[in-house]
Amino acid sequence: MTLDPIATFEDIARWTGPFRDAQRAAAQDALESGKVLFFPRLSFVIGNSEATLLTDQLSNGRAKNISRDPDGRVQGERGSAEESVRLNMMLGRFAEHARALVMHLFPGYAARVEQARTSYRPVEIAGRRYSPRDDDKRLHLDAFPSRPQRGRRILRVFSNIHPMGGKRVWHVGEPFEDVARRYASKARKPLPLEPWLFETLGITRGRRSEYDYLMLGLHDGAKLDTAYQKDSPQVEFAFPAGTTWMCFTDQAMHAALSGQFALEQTFHLPVEALAHPERSPLKVLERMMGRTLV
Ligand code: SIN
Ligand code: FE
């Protein structure tokens, strides 16, 4: 089987469009098919006053990323007061650019899309050591233990802002259905009352559904399977500095192997807002399991 998981859009060079109907239709079809949309001519331009933010010394060393909530609260950084203000502004500016791109490219999502965190990833990925479950250098789908999605989609926009031309290298793997077929039956089932207890104790924000347990099972199943990591269908792709890409990270198998200095914006979207809800992880898993999961 040959994988073709990257859809390149050479002619998209502006965050706010205007985009042609054909561009929008092709982008939405590729996105909802689980592909990574790559925009080689779409750059997030760093201002002169932001150049000093391009250092890994800004990270507090505990969290791997610096993040900004939609309300403007920044976590994980340890810059001076002045740097913090500039960092907050750069993240806010990226959040607006990413939002404009999503709104203009996918007008059908506009009414239902929810903007979540913005992150700055200033630390080189290569050489960082984690436990296999936490290691995003291993192929995985995004599923968050503390943040149940209950079928809601995870859409992420990334820009490589490396000032010296460093690439960000990903592996992109096989289609969601194939991952689900491999690992869904091995996913751990919740103990009785566990979802309620986790919610009550604040271990999870909201209650995990059967869908969330399955997605965590796919995430862990793939990451902990060393043979799968090595031998499963995957392609390597290097995103050059000055480019942007996006995908549904709950659907596209991905791993980030190396690179430094990226910005990322997360959005959530209910399955009903998709043009093809039947391709979503929720609907694929529900067909496979033969029951509703949320
Ligand atoms: C990930 O979502 O696994 C990491 C992506 C990246 O930082 O490039
Ligand atoms: Fe990920």
Side-chain angles (χ1 to χ4, degrees):
M1 183 183 68
T2 56
L3 289 182
D4 181 24
I6 316 276
T8 301
F9 292 82
E10 294 279 356
D11 50 355
I12 288 184
R14 290 167 47 94
W15 294 84
T16 52
F19 302 119
R20 286 178 281 108
D21 286 349
Q23 281 175 319
R24 291 205 300 252
Q28 187 166 358
D29 186 58
L31 182 72
E32 294 190 12
S33 302
K35 297 199 183 221
V36 177
L37 275 53
F38 172 47
F39 306 105
R41 296 182 54 226
L42 191 62
S43 292
F44 182 72
V45 178
I46 300 301
N48 285 336
S49 68
E50 290 166 341
T52 56
L53 301 173
L54 297 172
T55 162
D56 59 4
Q57 297 305 309
L58 226 49
S59 154
N60 70 10
R62 289 190 298 278
K64 53 185 167 182
N65 303 327
I66 296 171
S67 68
R68 179 186 189 271
D69 288 342
D71 66 8
R73 207 158 24 108
V74 175
Q75 285 169 57
E77 69 71 51
R78 58 144 187 229
S80 67
E82 208 236 318
E83 276 169 339
S84 300
V85 171
R86 272 185 285 136
L87 179 63
N88 196 334
M89 283 175 63
M90 179 173 79
L91 288 168
R93 213 161 59 74
F94 184 70
E96 276 169 32
H97 279 61
R99 182 182 183 82
L101 179 65
V102 167
M103 294 297 186
H104 287 91
L105 205 47
F106 312 115
Y109 295 171
R112 306 295 304 277
V113 78
E114 198 184 302
Q115 191 150 6
R117 274 182 198 165
T118 316
S119 69
Y120 176 38
R121 304 167 178 223
V123 183
E124 171 59 53
I125 295 169
R128 281 159 67 189
R129 296 182 69 90
Y130 291 102
S131 70
R133 189 178 274 113
D134 292 329
D135 191 353
D136 290 342
K137 296 196 288 305
R138 291 172 170 246
L139 281 165
H140 65 283
L141 305 164
D142 286 350
F144 311 123
S146 63
R147 280 174 283 153
Q149 297 300 326
R150 307 181 63 88
R152 221 165 47 131
R153 307 303 312 273
I154 304 169
L155 171 62
R156 291 184 141 169
V157 178
F158 297 87
S159 276
N160 180 350
I161 57 166
H162 199 292
M164 257 105 75
K167 294 181 189 317
R168 198 167 191 86
V169 177
W170 275 29
H171 286 176
V172 185
E174 61 183 359
F176 179 82
E177 288 81 347
D178 297 335
V179 185
R181 223 170 283 124
R182 268 184 225 266
Y183 298 111
S185 62
K186 299 182 196 127
R188 184 177 78 80
K189 312 252 178 330
L191 300 169
L193 298 182
E194 180 185 298
W196 168 83
L197 188 67
F198 280 9
E199 182 185 22
T200 305
L201 295 176
I203 294 170
T204 58
R205 220 164 91 188
R207 193 169 304 185
R208 277 189 197 164
S209 60
E210 203 179 344
Y211 170 79
D212 294 291
Y213 281 93
L214 279 168
M215 291 299 283
L216 290 168
L218 303 191
H219 172 277
D220 293 2
K223 272 193 178 169
L224 301 179
D225 185 341
T226 303
Y228 179 80
Q229 291 294 325
K230 200 159 68 66
D231 302 327
S232 70
Q234 53 194 285
V235 298
E236 183 165 302
F237 196 85
F239 300 99
T243 68
T244 296
W245 62 102
M246 69 162 81
C247 63
F248 280 124
T249 55
D250 54 4
Q251 181 177 7
M253 278 298 259
H254 62 282
L257 279 294
S258 66
Q260 195 180 358
F261 305 122
L263 290 165
E264 173 272 331
Q265 173 65 52
T266 302
F267 298 92
H268 295 300
L269 197 67
V271 165
E272 307 82 68
L274 302 169
H276 294 284
E278 76 281 1
R279 299 181 192 162
S280 67
L282 176 64
K283 297 299 178 190
V284 170
L285 286 169
E286 287 188 337
R287 275 200 303 279
M288 208 169 277
M289 309 303 279
R291 57 178 185 275
T292 55
L293 297 172
V294 175

